């Protein structure tokens, strides 16, 4: 691996999205990620679906650039391998069920005693010390508990935001924590690495900052508005004459004046004292939406966007995911890259950061246990010892790379 984090090693016991997103970000920046997987199926996200050449879309998206090592952690020999890996690691990331790492002897306190240089990072659902601390947590469950679903959808019809927002943002906060501690270590930090704990619930309540602050100080819950915003008006989605959907928005009084006068040709609304401020416009949202909807229904999308751009008003086209895959803006900016997988090459989007003189890595998606033998050899296991571990069930079966060795008829059977 190359990049600003080259030389940094992260050992991860991770499942699904939150921890894999944390380590994938670090892998993109050049860190070496050793992903510990159960020989019996590995990360359960591997089997969510099979739409990517037989692989799961979630897994392919969140696990590129990693080394997969299969360990049976119920075996003392498997645990010994884990500790030998931790001896050369900079951080250990996990998002297992509550108490799982403690039962294995690799919880934060265990690591601070046995591997004090390793930064222990635990991702959980609700953090410690509260009535929900021992409860399992998944993205939807936490989004519901944190109030996020109540701010999405329509009144009386709450909805989960489409992307797994709780998982993704918790993973990003965890990666940021690791980077901050690595920087602190480089500046002469203490001998024992601090432990990090990031919970999905704490992350989501932080992201809910605006709705929670509004409710805290107003005593009211703002109602969800579908593709609108309770904070500003007018701002929403409108049907066009050619059967498409345009999203138009204003964020201040000057933009409102331009929208009313230069786009929908309603100087009467621009001059109406009832609509002078955003607070007043929110109170008359339905009236404003009706005026904009009427105008958009008489114009094609292209004309609306051209007019809005000329007036300096933000706008966009409502797209489905399949339309975004072929989005002209992504193509024009060369945002797609080839990524290798055990089932053939696929394409994936470059990570968001654009860094002068450096393109973030797009490492291969690992097969289950693909790097077990290589990684164990690097930490001192001989071929004979690896074979003995395999015979004892401490590691998974030998990985067959079908990219270099297509399966025979017998292997296929």
């Amino acid at each position: 691996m190359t990049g600003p984090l080259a030389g940094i090693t992260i050992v991860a016991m991770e499942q699904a999205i939150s921890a894999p997103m944390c380590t994938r970000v670090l892998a993109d920046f050049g860190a070496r990620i050793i992903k510990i997987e159960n020989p019996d199926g590995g990360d359960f996200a591997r089997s969510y679906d099979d739409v990517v050449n037989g692989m799961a879309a979630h897994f392919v998206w969140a696990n590129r650039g990693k080394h997969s090592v299969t360990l049976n952690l119920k075996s003392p020999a498997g645990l010994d391998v884990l500790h030998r890996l931790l001896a050369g690691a900079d951080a250990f990331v996990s998002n297992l069920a509550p108490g799982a790492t403690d039962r294995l002897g690799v919880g934060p306190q265990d690591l601070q005693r046995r591997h004090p240089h390793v930064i222990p990072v635990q991702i959980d659902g609700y953090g410690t010390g509260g009535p929900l601390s021992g409860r399992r947590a998944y993205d939807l469950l936490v989004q519901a508990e944190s109030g996020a679903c109540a701010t999405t959808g329509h009144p009386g019809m709450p909805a989960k935001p489409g992307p797994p927002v709780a998982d993704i943002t918790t993973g990003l906060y965890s990666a940021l924590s690791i980077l901050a501690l690595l920087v602190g270590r480089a500046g002469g930090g203490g001998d024992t690495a601090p432990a990090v704990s990031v919970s999905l619930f704490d992350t989501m309540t932080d992201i809910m900052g605006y709705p929670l602050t509004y409710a805290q100080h107003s005593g009211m819950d703002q109602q969800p508005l579908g593709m609108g915003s309770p904070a500003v008006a007018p701002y929403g989605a409108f049907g066009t004459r050619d059967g498409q959907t345009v999203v138009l928005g204003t964020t201040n009084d000057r933009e409102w004046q331009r929208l009313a006068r230069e786009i929908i040709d309603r100087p009467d609304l621009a001059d109406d004292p009832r609509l002078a401020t955003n607070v007043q416009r929110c109170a008359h949202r339905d009236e404003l939406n009706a005026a904009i909807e009427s105008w958009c229904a008489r114009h094609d999308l292209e004309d609306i966007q051209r007019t809005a751009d000329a007036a300096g008003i933000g706008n966009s086209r409502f797209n489905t995911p399949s339309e975004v895959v072929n989005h002209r803006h992504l193509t024009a900016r060369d945002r797609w890259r080839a990524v290798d997988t055990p089932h053939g090459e696929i394409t994936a989007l470059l990570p968001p950061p654009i860094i002068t003189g450096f393109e973030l890595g797009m490492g291969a998606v690992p097969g289950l246990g693909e790097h077990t033998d290589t990684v164990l050899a690097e930490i001192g296991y001989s071929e004979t010892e690896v074979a003995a571990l395999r015979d004892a069930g401490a590691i998974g079966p030998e990985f067959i790379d079908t990219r270099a060795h297509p399966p025979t008829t017998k292997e296929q059977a």
Side-chain angles (χ1 to χ4, degrees), residues 137-158:
Y138 305 118
D139 184 87
L140 171 58
L141 305 180
V142 172
Q143 291 210 42
E145 193 78 38
S146 67
C149 293
T151 65
T152 309
H154 297 273
M157 299 176 63

PDB file of all heavy atoms in Angstrom, residues 137-158:
ATOM      1  N   ALA A 137     -27.695  -3.258  18.494  1.00  0.00           N
ATOM      2  CA  ALA A 137     -28.119  -2.074  17.747  1.00  0.00           C
ATOM      3  C   ALA A 137     -27.706  -2.204  16.291  1.00  0.00           C
ATOM      4  O   ALA A 137     -26.570  -2.564  15.995  1.00  0.00           O
ATOM      5  CB  ALA A 137     -27.492  -0.813  18.348  1.00  0.00           C
ATOM      6  N   TYR A 138     -28.646  -1.910  15.405  1.00  0.00           N
ATOM      7  CA  TYR A 138     -28.380  -1.847  13.977  1.00  0.00           C
ATOM      8  C   TYR A 138     -28.805  -0.481  13.474  1.00  0.00           C
ATOM      9  O   TYR A 138     -29.480   0.282  14.175  1.00  0.00           O
ATOM     10  CB  TYR A 138     -29.129  -2.968  13.245  1.00  0.00           C
ATOM     11  CG  TYR A 138     -28.828  -4.343  13.780  1.00  0.00           C
ATOM     12  CD1 TYR A 138     -29.833  -5.133  14.332  1.00  0.00           C
ATOM     13  CD2 TYR A 138     -27.530  -4.841  13.760  1.00  0.00           C
ATOM     14  CE1 TYR A 138     -29.553  -6.392  14.841  1.00  0.00           C
ATOM     15  CE2 TYR A 138     -27.246  -6.101  14.265  1.00  0.00           C
ATOM     16  CZ  TYR A 138     -28.257  -6.877  14.803  1.00  0.00           C
ATOM     17  OH  TYR A 138     -27.973  -8.108  15.309  1.00  0.00           O
ATOM     18  N   ASP A 139     -28.429  -0.172  12.252  1.00  0.00           N
ATOM     19  CA  ASP A 139     -28.626   1.173  11.727  1.00  0.00           C
ATOM     20  C   ASP A 139     -30.075   1.650  11.866  1.00  0.00           C
ATOM     21  O   ASP A 139     -30.335   2.725  12.413  1.00  0.00           O
ATOM     22  CB  ASP A 139     -28.192   1.219  10.255  1.00  0.00           C
ATOM     23  CG  ASP A 139     -28.288   2.604   9.665  1.00  0.00           C
ATOM     24  OD1 ASP A 139     -27.326   3.374   9.796  1.00  0.00           O
ATOM     25  OD2 ASP A 139     -29.337   2.930   9.072  1.00  0.00           O
ATOM     26  N   LEU A 140     -31.032   0.881  11.391  1.00  0.00           N
ATOM     27  CA  LEU A 140     -32.434   1.293  11.464  1.00  0.00           C
ATOM     28  C   LEU A 140     -32.888   1.474  12.909  1.00  0.00           C
ATOM     29  O   LEU A 140     -33.597   2.433  13.238  1.00  0.00           O
ATOM     30  CB  LEU A 140     -33.320   0.274  10.759  1.00  0.00           C
ATOM     31  CG  LEU A 140     -34.837   0.463  10.935  1.00  0.00           C
ATOM     32  CD1 LEU A 140     -35.279   1.826  10.443  1.00  0.00           C
ATOM     33  CD2 LEU A 140     -35.607  -0.645  10.232  1.00  0.00           C
ATOM     34  N   LEU A 141     -32.492   0.554  13.791  1.00  0.00           N
ATOM     35  CA  LEU A 141     -32.907   0.631  15.185  1.00  0.00           C
ATOM     36  C   LEU A 141     -32.428   1.928  15.821  1.00  0.00           C
ATOM     37  O   LEU A 141     -33.171   2.609  16.543  1.00  0.00           O
ATOM     38  CB  LEU A 141     -32.364  -0.567  15.967  1.00  0.00           C
ATOM     39  CG  LEU A 141     -32.707  -1.954  15.411  1.00  0.00           C
ATOM     40  CD1 LEU A 141     -32.095  -3.043  16.287  1.00  0.00           C
ATOM     41  CD2 LEU A 141     -34.215  -2.133  15.304  1.00  0.00           C
ATOM     42  N   VAL A 142     -31.182   2.288  15.546  1.00  0.00           N
ATOM     43  CA  VAL A 142     -30.623   3.505  16.142  1.00  0.00           C
ATOM     44  C   VAL A 142     -31.215   4.754  15.491  1.00  0.00           C
ATOM     45  O   VAL A 142     -31.459   5.763  16.161  1.00  0.00           O
ATOM     46  CB  VAL A 142     -29.088   3.490  16.040  1.00  0.00           C
ATOM     47  CG1 VAL A 142     -28.498   4.825  16.482  1.00  0.00           C
ATOM     48  CG2 VAL A 142     -28.527   2.364  16.902  1.00  0.00           C
ATOM     49  N   GLN A 143     -31.471   4.701  14.200  1.00  0.00           N
ATOM     50  CA  GLN A 143     -32.094   5.855  13.561  1.00  0.00           C
ATOM     51  C   GLN A 143     -33.485   6.101  14.149  1.00  0.00           C
ATOM     52  O   GLN A 143     -33.899   7.254  14.329  1.00  0.00           O
ATOM     53  CB  GLN A 143     -32.177   5.642  12.046  1.00  0.00           C
ATOM     54  CG  GLN A 143     -30.817   5.659  11.368  1.00  0.00           C
ATOM     55  CD  GLN A 143     -30.876   6.163   9.947  1.00  0.00           C
ATOM     56  OE1 GLN A 143     -31.560   7.129   9.664  1.00  0.00           O
ATOM     57  NE2 GLN A 143     -30.153   5.520   9.061  1.00  0.00           N
ATOM     58  N   ALA A 144     -34.209   5.025  14.457  1.00  0.00           N
ATOM     59  CA  ALA A 144     -35.519   5.186  15.088  1.00  0.00           C
ATOM     60  C   ALA A 144     -35.372   5.729  16.510  1.00  0.00           C
ATOM     61  O   ALA A 144     -36.085   6.653  16.917  1.00  0.00           O
ATOM     62  CB  ALA A 144     -36.256   3.852  15.108  1.00  0.00           C
ATOM     63  N   GLU A 145     -34.440   5.176  17.283  1.00  0.00           N
ATOM     64  CA  GLU A 145     -34.255   5.575  18.674  1.00  0.00           C
ATOM     65  C   GLU A 145     -33.787   7.020  18.798  1.00  0.00           C
ATOM     66  O   GLU A 145     -34.139   7.733  19.742  1.00  0.00           O
ATOM     67  CB  GLU A 145     -33.243   4.640  19.341  1.00  0.00           C
ATOM     68  CG  GLU A 145     -33.186   4.735  20.853  1.00  0.00           C
ATOM     69  CD  GLU A 145     -34.329   3.999  21.548  1.00  0.00           C
ATOM     70  OE1 GLU A 145     -34.726   2.914  21.073  1.00  0.00           O
ATOM     71  OE2 GLU A 145     -34.820   4.508  22.575  1.00  0.00           O
ATOM     72  N   SER A 146     -32.985   7.475  17.844  1.00  0.00           N
ATOM     73  CA  SER A 146     -32.409   8.825  17.909  1.00  0.00           C
ATOM     74  C   SER A 146     -33.333   9.910  17.367  1.00  0.00           C
ATOM     75  O   SER A 146     -32.996  11.089  17.430  1.00  0.00           O
ATOM     76  CB  SER A 146     -31.096   8.862  17.117  1.00  0.00           C
ATOM     77  OG  SER A 146     -31.351   8.682  15.733  1.00  0.00           O
ATOM     78  N   GLY A 147     -34.466   9.531  16.809  1.00  0.00           N
ATOM     79  CA  GLY A 147     -35.390  10.520  16.258  1.00  0.00           C
ATOM     80  C   GLY A 147     -35.208  10.801  14.788  1.00  0.00           C
ATOM     81  O   GLY A 147     -35.973  11.575  14.204  1.00  0.00           O
ATOM     82  N   ALA A 148     -34.207  10.182  14.148  1.00  0.00           N
ATOM     83  CA  ALA A 148     -33.929  10.488  12.744  1.00  0.00           C
ATOM     84  C   ALA A 148     -35.097  10.089  11.846  1.00  0.00           C
ATOM     85  O   ALA A 148     -35.430  10.797  10.894  1.00  0.00           O
ATOM     86  CB  ALA A 148     -32.649   9.795  12.292  1.00  0.00           C
ATOM     87  N   CYS A 149     -35.718   8.949  12.132  1.00  0.00           N
ATOM     88  CA  CYS A 149     -36.835   8.506  11.295  1.00  0.00           C
ATOM     89  C   CYS A 149     -38.023   9.454  11.411  1.00  0.00           C
ATOM     90  O   CYS A 149     -38.811   9.589  10.469  1.00  0.00           O
ATOM     91  CB  CYS A 149     -37.257   7.086  11.668  1.00  0.00           C
ATOM     92  SG  CYS A 149     -36.020   5.831  11.286  1.00  0.00           S
ATOM     93  N   ALA A 150     -38.162  10.112  12.562  1.00  0.00           N
ATOM     94  CA  ALA A 150     -39.271  11.052  12.763  1.00  0.00           C
ATOM     95  C   ALA A 150     -39.089  12.339  11.970  1.00  0.00           C
ATOM     96  O   ALA A 150     -40.049  13.098  11.794  1.00  0.00           O
ATOM     97  CB  ALA A 150     -39.424  11.375  14.253  1.00  0.00           C
ATOM     98  N   THR A 151     -37.879  12.585  11.497  1.00  0.00           N
ATOM     99  CA  THR A 151     -37.624  13.792  10.709  1.00  0.00           C
ATOM    100  C   THR A 151     -37.586  13.491   9.218  1.00  0.00           C
ATOM    101  O   THR A 151     -37.292  14.378   8.417  1.00  0.00           O
ATOM    102  CB  THR A 151     -36.293  14.446  11.119  1.00  0.00           C
ATOM    103  OG1 THR A 151     -35.204  13.565  10.795  1.00  0.00           O
ATOM    104  CG2 THR A 151     -36.270  14.748  12.609  1.00  0.00           C
ATOM    105  N   THR A 152     -37.854  12.242   8.854  1.00  0.00           N
ATOM    106  CA  THR A 152     -37.787  11.804   7.462  1.00  0.00           C
ATOM    107  C   THR A 152     -39.159  11.279   7.041  1.00  0.00           C
ATOM    108  O   THR A 152     -39.885  10.703   7.846  1.00  0.00           O
ATOM    109  CB  THR A 152     -36.746  10.685   7.301  1.00  0.00           C
ATOM    110  OG1 THR A 152     -35.516  11.114   7.901  1.00  0.00           O
ATOM    111  CG2 THR A 152     -36.480  10.368   5.837  1.00  0.00           C
ATOM    112  N   GLY A 153     -39.518  11.466   5.793  1.00  0.00           N
ATOM    113  CA  GLY A 153     -40.813  11.000   5.320  1.00  0.00           C
ATOM    114  C   GLY A 153     -41.842  12.108   5.326  1.00  0.00           C
ATOM    115  O   GLY A 153     -41.556  13.252   4.933  1.00  0.00           O
ATOM    116  N   HIS A 154     -43.042  11.790   5.805  1.00  0.00           N
ATOM    117  CA  HIS A 154     -44.149  12.751   5.850  1.00  0.00           C
ATOM    118  C   HIS A 154     -44.845  12.642   7.198  1.00  0.00           C
ATOM    119  O   HIS A 154     -44.694  11.638   7.903  1.00  0.00           O
ATOM    120  CB  HIS A 154     -45.142  12.476   4.713  1.00  0.00           C
ATOM    121  CG  HIS A 154     -44.550  12.651   3.351  1.00  0.00           C
ATOM    122  ND1 HIS A 154     -44.509  13.861   2.712  1.00  0.00           N
ATOM    123  CD2 HIS A 154     -43.946  11.753   2.515  1.00  0.00           C
ATOM    124  CE1 HIS A 154     -43.924  13.720   1.530  1.00  0.00           C
ATOM    125  NE2 HIS A 154     -43.566  12.457   1.383  1.00  0.00           N
ATOM    126  N   PRO A 155     -45.627  13.645   7.600  1.00  0.00           N
ATOM    127  CA  PRO A 155     -46.347  13.563   8.878  1.00  0.00           C
ATOM    128  C   PRO A 155     -47.172  12.280   8.963  1.00  0.00           C
ATOM    129  O   PRO A 155     -47.944  11.955   8.066  1.00  0.00           O
ATOM    130  CB  PRO A 155     -47.236  14.807   8.861  1.00  0.00           C
ATOM    131  CG  PRO A 155     -46.494  15.788   8.002  1.00  0.00           C
ATOM    132  CD  PRO A 155     -45.851  14.950   6.931  1.00  0.00           C
ATOM    133  N   GLY A 156     -46.977  11.538  10.035  1.00  0.00           N
ATOM    134  CA  GLY A 156     -47.680  10.279  10.208  1.00  0.00           C
ATOM    135  C   GLY A 156     -47.121   9.143   9.388  1.00  0.00           C
ATOM    136  O   GLY A 156     -47.605   8.012   9.485  1.00  0.00           O
ATOM    137  N   MET A 157     -46.111   9.415   8.575  1.00  0.00           N
ATOM    138  CA  MET A 157     -45.487   8.393   7.729  1.00  0.00           C
ATOM    139  C   MET A 157     -43.966   8.509   7.825  1.00  0.00           C
ATOM    140  O   MET A 157     -43.292   8.925   6.893  1.00  0.00           O
ATOM    141  CB  MET A 157     -45.943   8.543   6.284  1.00  0.00           C
ATOM    142  CG  MET A 157     -47.437   8.373   6.078  1.00  0.00           C
ATOM    143  SD  MET A 157     -47.927   8.670   4.352  1.00  0.00           S
ATOM    144  CE  MET A 157     -47.040   7.334   3.524  1.00  0.00           C
ATOM    145  N   PRO A 158     -43.388   8.176   8.993  1.00  0.00           N
ATOM    146  CA  PRO A 158     -41.930   8.280   9.150  1.00  0.00           C
ATOM    147  C   PRO A 158     -41.215   7.301   8.236  1.00  0.00           C
ATOM    148  O   PRO A 158     -41.791   6.305   7.788  1.00  0.00           O
ATOM    149  CB  PRO A 158     -41.714   7.925  10.626  1.00  0.00           C
ATOM    150  CG  PRO A 158     -42.894   7.076  10.974  1.00  0.00           C
ATOM    151  CD  PRO A 158     -44.043   7.625  10.182  1.00  0.00           C
TER     152      PRO A 158
END
